[in-house]
Amino acid sequence: MLHVIRNSVKRNINVLSRNLAQGNVPHTPIEKQTASSEVPSEADVVVVGGGSIGNSTLYHLGKLGVNAVLLEKDQLTAGTTWHSAGLVWRLRPSDIDTMVIEHTLDLVKPGGEIEQLTGMSCGFNNNGGMFIANNKERMDEYKRLYSLGKYFGAETYVLSPEESQKIYPLMRVDDIYGTLYSPADGCLDPSSYVAALSRAATMKGGKIFCDTEVTGIETETTFGRKRVTGVKTNKGFIKTSKVVNCTGAWAPYLSEMVGVDCPLVPFRHAYVVTENIDGIENMPNLRDHDLSVYLRLQGNGLSIGGYEPWPDMLPEGVSKDFAFGLYELDWDTFGFNIEHCMKRVPAIEETGIKSTVCGPESFTPDHKPLLGEVLGCRGFYQGAGFNSSGIMLAGGSGRELANMVVNGYSSIDMFSYDVNRYHPDCIKDSAWILERSHEAYAKNYAMIFIHDENLASRDMRTDALHDTLLKRGCVYQQRQGFERPGWFLLDKSVNLEKKKYDWYGSYGSEKYSDYPYRDCLELDYTFGYPKQFDIIGAESDACRNRAALFNMSYFGKFFLSGPDAQAAVDYLCCSNVNKGQGSTVYTNMLNASGGSETDLTVSHIEPDPVTGEDRFYIAAGGGSSYRDMCHILNVIDMKKFNCTVKDHSADYGMLSLQGPKSREILQKICDADFSNEAFPFSTHKLVNINGHEVRAMRLTFVGELGWELHVPSESLVEVYNIVMETGAEHGIVDSGYRAIDALSSEKGYKHWHEDVRPDTTPLEAGMAWLVNPKLKTKTDFLGRDALLKQKKDGLKKRLVCLKVKSDVPLVTLESIFRDGQVAGYVRRTAYGYSVGCNVAWGYIEHPEKITLDYIREGSYQVECMGERYDAEMSLQAPFDPKNNRVKGFYE
């Protein structure tokens, strides 16, 4: 029967290509907009691109009272929106994705926000959705979503094969493990959606101009920063200071106009529409992740597609004039999807093909959108790279883009979407973008494990210790393209080198059959305790009882100096950083709502040797360091502080020596005094280690006596060797970030983007000690007013610690129950080896005002994969809550 379908496809390709203007794509075409002969002379914001994300952004800007216009080169929905499948899945293995989609559903559902405003339907068909599990591991993943859904109020059901078939009689179920059924899922008609959104946007004051091509973007450089000043079009010039690039696969063209990179790759992405299938009416949409396909209800037939491992990539981009066009379907590529769809719904094999749709879609290196203001040009915002999920994500993403444009920050934690999450070294490398985008596409339906690692484009950014640690059994993780130690294999003879990307065996490449590094990664691809559980435990134990050395060289390292340096750090930081030279302060930097934009350390170091001006050394977590620098530079620009920030991340390595023996080790290799009296906590000194100048900082992120050693890169290997040789008699070990996760969790040290985020304040995170001293002074800082108001009004959520003894490890996003009612969800968790259980951190919420008594009086449980486990709640860390070990006091 395959040859019959193949011939049917080929017959329909030519018909479809000839008749695009008649709308053979299975959606109602949007009504053509009347073109205006001129554009306004100025606007607060110019949105470019008339698809779902552009119109959503325009609508939300209007809600915020902004004078905004939207420019579309052709007609609304042109590009990728018009041919989108329009699937909407209520739950995702990400709380942020789920929040974004939740807002989309609030906009588009019958009787929702848009329909109430405009009287127009958004074309949402609430036929439900079903995720299909072909094995137990996949079913466990769905059970995670099921538990998370309880927090978000999502109605979902875990069904047996037999129960699933009762809902979808045409589905083959003899080879499946079960399903997750979500009645709130559905699909959107793209044209109806955009028509309603555009009407809502204009009712809020937005103006839309079709047949209006952007021919250039004017900029100027002031205070050392390039800035948008206007937009040139075929209908005139618009003076504006802000442009939002919502042009999808064409976003790189607009980005080039202001000289910035746009890390996305267009792919040819396809689906086919079947003829009518008896009995398919009102069936839910199916997504079979293990077969990598989806089946969407399309009238009395199906639209079927998926994510084949050898997609047709378009690294040279899409033609500028490609608006309502399609490509011919490559059957050799698409055959993978249709064969797997036939396996799940056998009736497809006896059904003809009505039409094929193969159009451009843009994909990014981590399968997340690109949102926010770019560092390279103030006032230029990206809103692109939606990885074939633009319809589903447009509602919430448009809201957050509008917040970024107007307020300078988002209302929820959008770091995973932030355009500045990538390091410049990565996005300037076309091979990195291409390989990573392919891998993200090929793994789009793969199971989501919290310790998943990429195989594409490894070893792009390494430090001087990389090869040394590799020979010592280091299993590396990658963050921002930088290799950092994850954990250490006991068998040092294993070759753990990362190999050149094999494209998973696609495009004529041969998939590696012998790849030890990949084998080590796959130990973590389980929802049970991994096989290296005890190895990580041994690293943690060494840190607690002897000494461990952590290579943290991937950290960002910035020097802030100038006449206004002290004023700048005072305003940026919520903690008191005016403590004089020699001080090192852990702090957060906040947004205007008091939410945490970053956490880092600020050290007041010796003056600039040339100018004599104040200098501060900032060390920021490597996973977000580039975004952190963007935040710092933007605030300095906003306040017009006279100072500069220089990135020296590659010039210095960073070793963290931690444990009760750390002082003895350092005392033997340095002539400095490391006693409590001479070297207090939260201070730093320049010391000499065997002729190498090292900045030693008494800090810890694991809750032990310890020091960070900031070492010039050329000295890193020798300093490392000296520390390890000297520490050998004390039982020192190499240790990695998996141990840091465990140690910091049981000690209660916060992780940015998990425990603290832009949508949580230090007060809510139980970090009042961080801000209260400064709030008692008159020193102004960003977020101060919001914190004072919050202290006055009271909190509605509070971070708590939960100790859980469960049969399976917690992996985040588990729902938290207080007295049997959902009260929050787990933000971060790791097994605490020193306390003998899972340690979870999550926010307990109250709709009005949360009190400590309310928190303490509750009885708690955590639901993991559908099973509830009793939890012991605490407002303080379960390990060494009095900080005796940090002070160097050991019993």
Side-chain angles (χ1 to χ4, degrees):
M1 190 62 195
L2 270 175
H3 70 281
V4 176
I5 296 177
R6 184 193 298 251
N7 290 335
S8 175
V9 169
K10 288 181 175 178
R11 286 196 303 271
N12 280 283
I13 286 172
N14 294 328
V15 174
L16 186 65
S17 298
R18 288 196 304 267
N19 296 297
L20 291 176
Q22 279 70 48
N24 279 18
V25 168
H27 307 305
T28 305
I30 195 167
E31 181 180 347
K32 187 171 182 178
Q33 303 286 307
T34 302
S36 174
S37 59
E38 59 182 29
V39 293
S41 60
E42 61 180 291
D44 294 335
V45 182
V46 174
V47 179
V48 186
S52 57
I53 182 63
N55 280 278
S56 175
T57 303
L58 185 69
Y59 168 65
H60 287 94
L61 286 169
K63 288 184 67 177
L64 294 174
V66 174
N67 169 29
V69 300
L70 184 149
L71 310 180
E72 167 54 51
K73 181 176 178 290
D74 202 282
Q75 289 291 308
L76 297 184
T77 75
T80 56
T81 295
W82 72 287
H83 59 70
S84 172
L87 289 159
V88 180
W89 308 99
R90 177 70 174 80
L91 285 174
R92 305 274 281 191
S94 157
D95 56 339
I96 299 303
D97 285 353
T98 302
M99 292 176 190
V100 168
I101 296 167
E102 185 174 45
H103 184 64
T104 298
L105 284 169
D106 287 342
L107 292 178
V108 306
K109 63 187 178 184
E113 183 176 320
I114 299 299
E115 188 172 303
Q116 287 185 32
L117 177 64
T118 65
M120 298 173 64
S121 168
C122 289
F124 180 60
N125 179 20
N126 180 205
N127 58 312
M130 188 176 283
F131 288 174
I132 301 164
N134 289 253
N135 52 67
K136 181 183 181 300
E137 207 81 54
R138 182 69 77 175
M139 197 70 245
D140 286 343
E141 181 183 37
Y142 293 163
K143 288 178 180 178
R144 281 190 69 203
L145 294 180
Y146 168 74
S147 293
L148 176 64
K150 294 184 179 180
Y151 169 80
F152 283 101
E155 180 187 6
T156 57
Y157 303 91
V158 175
L159 303 180
S160 68
E162 296 74 23
E163 292 170 325
S164 305
Q165 195 170 48
K166 288 180 181 178
I167 294 174
Y168 203 118
L170 296 180
M171 179 172 62
R172 177 186 173 187
V173 299
D174 64 333
D175 60 342
I176 71 172
Y177 203 88
T179 65
L180 179 69
Y181 175 52
S182 175
D185 292 351
C187 42
L188 275 162
D189 174 72
S191 297
S192 299
Y193 181 30
V194 170
L197 266 179
S198 62
R199 175 71 63 82
T202 56
M203 292 176 68
K204 290 294 182 181
K207 298 178 178 62
I208 297 175
F209 300 89
C210 292
D211 297 321
T212 305
E213 180 180 2
V214 173
T215 58
I217 299 176
E218 292 285 311
T219 63
E220 66 178 10
T221 300
T222 58
F223 299 100
R225 300 288 297 275
K226 184 191 295 184
R227 307 168 194 279
V228 169
T229 57
V231 175
K232 294 189 288 186
T233 79
N234 60 333
K235 296 179 180 178
F237 181 79
I238 306 174
K239 181 181 178 182
T240 186
S241 61
K242 295 180 179 180
V243 172
V244 187
N245 182 9
C246 298
T247 56
W250 294 263
Y253 291 120
L254 211 67
S255 301
E256 286 177 8
M257 293 180 182
V258 295
V260 300
D261 297 297
C262 185
L264 60 78
V265 180
F267 286 41
R268 289 177 178 168
H269 192 55
Y271 62 88
V272 302
V273 183
T274 72
E275 300 284 0
N276 291 350
I277 300 174
D278 289 340
I280 204 70
E281 298 86 354
N282 301 317
M283 290 297 100
N285 304 315
L286 300 182
R287 180 177 269 186
D288 192 320
H289 291 95
D290 296 306
L291 295 181
S292 200
V293 294
Y294 65 82
L295 301 93
R296 174 203 193 274
L297 185 67
Q298 190 70 59
N300 292 325
L302 291 172
S303 290
I304 57 177
Y307 291 82
E308 61 284 347
W310 49 86
D312 189 357
M313 299 181 288
L314 302 166
E316 301 305 317
V318 184
S319 168
K320 292 182 180 180
D321 298 322
F322 198 103
F324 284 97
L326 294 175
Y327 303 108
E328 288 196 2
L329 185 73
D330 183 337
W331 179 257
D332 291 332
T333 297
F334 192 77
F336 169 92
N337 298 318
I338 202 163
E339 288 184 39
H340 283 190
C341 286
M342 287 191 300
K343 179 179 180 181
R344 187 51 55 222
V345 178
I348 295 172
E349 190 171 356
E350 306 300 326
T351 306
I353 301 297
K354 182 184 296 184
S355 61
T356 68
V357 178
C358 181
E361 291 280 0
S362 57
F363 293 86
T364 64
D366 55 6
H367 216 73
K368 293 290 186 181
L370 308 172
L371 263 64
E373 186 181 23
V374 301
L375 178 62
C377 183
R378 296 237 64 181
F380 187 80
Y381 296 78
Q382 302 283 22
F386 279 83
N387 303 281
S388 198
S389 297
I391 296 290
M392 177 167 57
L393 299 176
S397 295
R399 177 190 66 188
E400 295 311 316
L401 258 177
N403 282 325
M404 294 173 188
V405 169
V406 176
N407 302 320
Y409 57 93
S410 55
S411 68
I412 58 177
D413 176 22
M414 298 297 284
F415 172 64
S416 58
Y417 290 36
D418 195 310
V419 68
N420 295 312
R421 67 187 181 271
Y422 302 119
H423 192 274
D425 290 351
C426 297
I427 62 175
K428 291 183 183 300
D429 188 318
S430 58
W432 184 86
I433 296 171
L434 191 66
E435 289 186 8
R436 286 288 301 268
S437 296
H438 169 267
E439 185 176 28
Y441 182 100
K443 292 178 65 175
N444 182 41
Y445 279 4
M447 277 181 262
I448 305 298
F449 297 105
I450 59 172
H451 297 297
D452 185 39
E453 292 291 329
N454 294 99
L455 293 173
S457 289
R458 297 301 298 264
D459 289 348
M460 183 185 178
R461 301 174 64 213
T462 61
D463 59 60
L465 263 180
H466 178 270
D467 292 350
T468 299
L469 296 185
L470 193 66
K471 294 174 183 176
R472 295 177 68 93
C474 183
V475 179
Y476 276 97
Q477 303 172 335
Q478 188 187 66
R479 300 294 182 271
Q480 279 201 357
F482 207 115
E483 301 291 331
R484 73 176 193 181
W487 54 280
F488 286 80
L489 194 64
L490 298 180
D491 184 354
K492 311 304 180 186
S493 67
V494 177
N495 182 358
L496 292 173
E497 290 184 4
K498 284 85 69 183
K499 298 185 179 183
K500 183 179 179 181
Y501 186 46
D502 62 7
W503 302 91
Y504 290 84
S506 299
Y507 311 118
S509 299
E510 184 175 345
K511 186 176 181 179
Y512 298 120
S513 57
D514 181 21
Y515 196 176
Y517 174 71
R518 183 184 63 204
D519 296 341
C520 285
L521 295 184
E522 291 177 354
L523 296 176
D524 271 316
Y525 299 167
T526 174
F527 291 110
Y529 291 104
K531 291 183 178 179
Q532 75 274 33
F533 176 82
D534 290 335
I535 295 176
I536 298 167
E539 292 180 21
S540 302
D541 180 73
C543 184
R544 289 279 182 246
N545 296 295
R546 303 187 305 279
L549 190 60
F550 302 90
N551 179 18
M552 304 173 73
S553 297
Y554 92 119
F555 261 49
K557 305 155 196 96
F558 315 125
F559 286 82
L560 189 156
S561 63
D564 291 341
Q566 183 69 62
V569 294
D570 282 342
Y571 187 75
L572 278 160
C573 302
C574 67
S575 304
N576 179 16
V577 290
N578 194 354
K579 294 186 175 183
Q581 291 180 33
S583 64
T584 295
V585 179
Y586 167 80
T587 186
N588 279 206
M589 293 180 177
L590 311 181
N591 55 44
S593 289
S596 175
E597 290 291 328
T598 177
D599 73 335
L600 34 70
T601 59
V602 177
S603 299
H604 195 166
I605 62 175
E606 58 282 354
D608 186 288
V610 177
T611 66
E613 295 168 342
D614 251 354
R615 282 199 307 169
F616 292 85
Y617 176 73
I618 298 173
S624 60
S625 60
Y626 184 66
R627 180 190 181 277
D628 296 346
M629 187 174 72
C630 294
H631 174 75
I632 293 168
L633 288 171
N634 287 343
V635 173
I636 288 174
D637 181 62
M638 175 183 71
K639 299 294 289 185
K640 299 297 182 286
F641 288 123
N642 184 9
C643 57
T644 61
V645 178
K646 295 181 180 179
D647 184 357
H648 286 275
S649 300
D651 299 329
Y652 292 88
M654 176 179 162
L655 301 174
S656 183
L657 176 62
Q658 301 290 324
K661 300 298 182 180
S662 60
R663 176 181 281 142
E664 294 178 49
I665 295 170
L666 288 175
Q667 203 66 75
K668 287 184 177 180
I669 60 177
C670 294
D671 55 5
D673 186 350
F674 285 84
S675 66
N676 281 347
E677 294 75 22
F679 210 142
F681 185 74
S682 200
T683 64
H684 69 268
K685 291 180 181 180
L686 285 175
V687 301
N688 187 287
I689 299 180
N690 201 32
H692 301 283
E693 187 176 73
V694 173
R695 191 177 302 278
M697 299 182 182
R698 187 169 169 190
L699 295 170
T700 181
F701 196 56
V702 295
E704 295 294 332
L705 174 69
W707 279 263
E708 290 179 1
L709 306 177
H710 294 251
V711 187
S713 293
E714 61 271 18
S715 303
L716 186 60
V717 172
E718 188 169 344
V719 171
Y720 165 83
N721 287 333
I722 293 169
V723 173
M724 291 301 291
E725 289 167 7
T726 306
E729 63 178 283
H730 298 290
I732 193 172
V733 302
D734 291 302
S735 193
Y737 270 83
R738 294 294 295 280
I740 289 178
D741 290 341
L743 294 163
S744 62
S745 183
E746 65 188 16
K747 185 61 184 77
Y749 289 156
K750 309 301 186 285
H751 280 200
W752 187 82
H753 183 51
E754 293 179 311
D755 307 302
V756 290
R757 317 191 306 196
D759 52 3
T760 56
T761 72
L763 298 176
E764 294 166 336
M767 300 168 72
W769 56 269
L770 196 70
V771 298
N772 277 344
K774 197 167 184 178
L775 287 175
K776 294 176 182 177
T777 72
K778 295 182 179 180
T779 304
D780 191 22
F781 62 91
L782 185 57
R784 176 188 175 96
D785 291 344
L787 294 184
L788 289 172
K789 185 177 187 303
Q790 194 173 58
K791 285 176 73 73
K792 179 182 177 181
D793 296 344
L795 307 178
K796 292 186 178 181
K797 61 183 176 184
R798 178 65 155 75
L799 185 67
V800 302
C801 178
L802 298 164
K803 291 168 58 178
V804 184
K805 293 188 176 181
S806 56
D807 298 332
V808 293
L810 305 183
V811 290
T812 72
L813 303 184
E814 294 85 1
S815 286
I816 300 170
F817 289 80
R818 178 190 179 276
D819 293 343
Q821 301 297 315
V822 177
Y825 65 95
V826 173
R827 288 277 191 88
R828 178 168 73 104
T829 182
Y831 190 85
Y833 292 92
S834 303
V835 295
C837 63
N838 287 289
V839 179
W841 294 86
Y843 283 83
I844 301 302
E845 302 175 4
H846 192 282
E848 296 175 1
K849 185 176 180 179
I850 197 164
T851 64
L852 295 182
D853 286 343
Y854 175 83
I855 294 173
R856 293 183 178 119
E857 291 167 0
S859 176
Y860 294 89
Q861 291 180 310
V862 170
E863 181 170 309
C864 179
M865 300 183 213
E867 298 293 328
R868 293 190 191 178
Y869 298 92
D870 290 338
E872 180 184 334
M873 191 282 302
S874 175
L875 290 168
Q876 61 183 6
F879 182 78
D880 190 24
K882 295 183 179 180
N883 286 328
N884 287 325
R885 300 168 77 94
V886 176
K887 299 170 187 175
F889 303 144
Y890 290 89
E891 297 179 355

